[in-house]
Amino acid sequence: RRAPSCAACQGLAVGLFYHMGSLAFGAFIIGSVRVPRRLLACLVPASGEKGNAAGSCVLKACACCVACFERFLRFLTKSAYMDVAV
């Protein structure tokens, strides 16, 4: 049996045709978590300037949780993309 002439092109076509929903969903999840993280990244320095230690601590804890959740989602999405590829 002969190898396909353009295996990479055929693989890309199969991935786009059969797995576009999985790819789009993973990108949507990562993008939707990025917005709150950026918002918290802007609020943390502003809360430190106000002198409110409790508010600053709460915002930093929230930012840490959101960043950890985003890293977990990136790992999970990467693994899911590999499962789709296989």
Side-chain angles (χ1 to χ4, degrees):
R1 206 171 165 188
R2 293 184 58 196
S5 60
C6 185
C9 294
Q10 287 179 342
L12 180 64
V14 167
L16 291 176
F17 186 75
Y18 292 109
H19 302 292
M20 182 58 86
S22 299
L23 298 173
F25 183 68
F28 171 74
I29 294 295
I30 294 295
S32 64
V33 172
R34 193 171 290 170
V35 172
R37 183 173 175 215
R38 299 273 168 100
L39 180 65
L40 285 171
C42 292
L43 290 177
V44 167
S47 69
E49 294 171 358
K50 301 276 186 193
N52 186 357
S56 178
C57 183
V58 168
L59 279 176
K60 286 179 183 178
C62 288
C64 181
C65 289
V66 169
C68 181
F69 185 62
E70 184 181 20
R71 283 192 302 270
F72 169 72
L73 280 179
R74 283 184 187 271
F75 170 75
L76 190 66
T77 304
K78 184 177 174 183
S79 298
Y81 286 156
M82 285 189 262
D83 285 345
V84 167
V86 170

